[in-house]
Amino acid sequence: MSAARRWWILVVSMTAAITTTATVNCTAFLIPQLIHDGLPVQRAGLFAAAAPAGLLLTTIVWGAMIDRYGERRVLLVSLSGAAIGLAATVSGFAAGAPLPVIAGGLFVSSAMAASGNGASGRIVVGWFPASSRGTAMGIRQTSQPLGIALLSLTMPYLASRVGLTWAMTVPLTVAVVSVILVFAFIVDPPRPESGAAAAEARENPYREDSFLVRIHAVSLLLVLPQGAVWTWGITWLIVGMHWAPATAGLLVSASQLFGALGRIAAGTWSDRLGSRTSPIRWIALAAALTMGALGALTAVGSPVAVLVFLVASVVTVADNGLAFTAIAEKAGPFYSGRALGIQNTGQFLVTTAAGPILGGLIHTAGFAAAFAIVGLAPLVAFPLVPRDATPRDGVTREPAPSGTPNRT
């Protein structure tokens, strides 16, 4: 496969991940208009939880199907199902269907779209050589902030100007475009089907050593400061730092962009080091320092806290692509779907649970104490980071020398 085609496949795989992000998070951008139309805040919160719940229940199942049937086939089924569910949701809003019915459609849509993260990650690891795999995965990991940015720029405006029906056409359009691109361009990465390499790749990687379990545990700890910064950052700016909502929104949007660039930089760093886990150790220490500094500066009311917040927005998300790559490399082509599904589900559970827990902590002790306490999680994660594992057979090798056929 030529380098140009490999990078184009990366772009197409990103559309699949953006579809998952858009389907799961679209309800959050309907809430302002729903509340404006008279929906109680509590019911709006329940409505917003419908789509994430669907992803939570099916991510590991889709991962197992990817392991068995391959990325392209599963993505076509998954994303087509999401598109159908989103089309039904659009029709539901247009017909004035009850909100619980629409929420049910979003639950199904999200459950169908949940394969996008794991499948796109496997495509990157399967088609890119180790020398550029970290960078490619870092680019792939920008799908989440890009998806959120797309929704934030379009859905609230459309909902307020022309109604909820038109706002929901945004994730529907993303899903339809992604299905077309996947059908036209995605090719499953090669994997060994027979011989010793295939036998080795089919063995359960969780039984070999503690590498995957430790990476999962480290990721769960490192997602806590990420959740604190990304979930509560805008509230801290408005309530704690007394910023205007519009200004705070612009800063948070900028932090999303910086976070995306940070993921790419971390991936490139890992490629140059030839290590996925060494950068994670440094990122854990940096996350602990920045969260501690953010807490201390918030306590004294220093405006420098805003700059540290931007740094924290980059540092706390930089490990995501590294962990994803390390898991896929270790698990191999017959188990990485399930392993990445476990990774996504665990992080999603912790992020969901951390929201109300951090809210209670902020209510009781304030933003400064909450940020400082969350900064302890990366310190706990630091000694748990394992040494690099040897990639399983079947993962794409370095490109063949010039003139030599490259079967990948």
Side-chain angles (χ1 to χ4, degrees):
M1 176 176 287
S2 67
R5 188 179 180 194
R6 184 181 292 129
W7 286 102
W8 175 242
I9 282 182
L10 168 62
V11 172
V12 174
S13 70
M14 286 177 64
T15 68
I18 291 175
T19 298
T20 302
T21 296
T23 305
V24 171
N25 294 281
C26 65
T27 52
F29 298 94
L30 300 176
I31 288 178
Q33 188 60 37
L34 288 170
I35 293 175
H36 181 268
D37 291 342
L39 186 70
V41 175
Q42 295 87 345
R43 289 189 62 194
L46 289 174
F47 174 75
L55 177 140
L56 179 63
L57 293 179
T58 60
T59 298
I60 296 176
V61 175
W62 281 118
M65 295 182 69
I66 293 167
D67 288 335
R68 181 169 183 179
Y69 298 109
E71 295 83 358
R72 184 177 188 273
R73 188 183 304 177
V74 170
L75 278 176
L76 287 174
V77 173
S78 170
L79 300 180
S80 297
I84 293 170
L86 290 169
T89 302
V90 171
S91 299
F93 274 121
L99 205 58
V101 174
I102 295 175
L106 287 168
F107 174 88
V108 173
S109 301
S110 177
M112 291 299 298
S115 75
N117 288 331
S120 59
R122 276 178 52 117
I123 289 169
V124 169
V125 171
W127 278 122
F128 280 82
S131 59
S132 59
R133 192 177 294 144
T135 302
M137 186 67 82
I139 295 172
R140 205 300 272 156
Q141 290 293 100
T142 65
S143 300
Q144 181 184 24
L146 288 175
I148 295 296
L150 174 64
L151 298 185
S152 65
L153 289 172
T154 58
M155 290 190 67
Y157 176 81
L158 290 173
S160 63
R161 293 288 183 175
V162 291
L164 298 170
T165 301
W166 283 101
M168 280 303 303
T169 62
V170 175
L172 172 59
T173 301
V174 171
V176 171
V177 170
S178 183
V179 170
I180 295 170
L181 291 175
V182 167
F183 178 80
F185 297 107
I186 289 296
V187 179
D188 286 344
R191 52 183 180 176
E193 299 297 340
S194 62
E200 177 188 0
R202 291 180 185 275
E203 294 177 359
N204 188 337
Y206 287 93
R207 296 176 181 174
E208 293 179 356
D209 51 43
S210 62
F211 180 87
L212 289 175
V213 173
R214 290 175 66 176
I215 285 289
H216 291 324
V218 167
S219 297
L220 295 184
L221 289 166
L222 293 182
V223 83
L224 288 172
Q226 174 185 331
V229 170
W230 282 31
T231 302
W232 290 101
I234 193 166
T235 304
W236 167 70
L237 288 168
I238 295 171
V239 177
M241 302 298 288
H242 310 293
W243 280 37
T247 308
L250 287 174
L251 184 72
V252 171
S253 298
S255 74
Q256 292 271 343
L257 175 60
F258 293 144
L261 296 175
R263 295 181 188 201
I264 299 173
T268 302
W269 180 22
S270 76
D271 287 338
R272 292 180 177 178
L273 284 179
S275 170
R276 309 300 177 204
T277 60
S278 292
I280 294 177
R281 292 191 186 92
W282 288 104
I283 290 168
L285 288 179
L289 288 173
T290 53
M291 293 305 296
L294 181 60
L297 292 169
T298 299
V300 299
S302 172
V304 180
V306 176
L307 295 177
V308 177
F309 168 78
L310 288 175
V311 175
S313 298
V314 176
V315 171
T316 57
V317 301
D319 65 289
N320 287 355
L322 301 176
F324 233 65
T325 307
I327 288 168
E329 289 179 334
K330 170 63 177 176
F334 295 103
Y335 267 90
S336 56
R338 279 162 284 187
L340 292 175
I342 292 170
Q343 173 80 352
N344 281 324
T345 301
Q347 286 190 304
F348 184 83
L349 281 172
V350 170
T351 302
T352 302
I357 292 173
L358 285 171
L361 185 60
I362 291 169
H363 177 76
T364 303
F367 284 104
F371 290 151
I373 291 171
V374 168
L376 297 175
L379 289 180
V380 177
F382 178 79
L384 295 178
V385 180
R387 294 182 180 275
D388 285 290
T390 301
R392 280 187 164 223
D393 205 359
V395 177
T396 299
R397 304 299 195 266
E398 298 296 328
S402 178
T404 302
N406 186 346
R407 297 188 181 279
T408 64

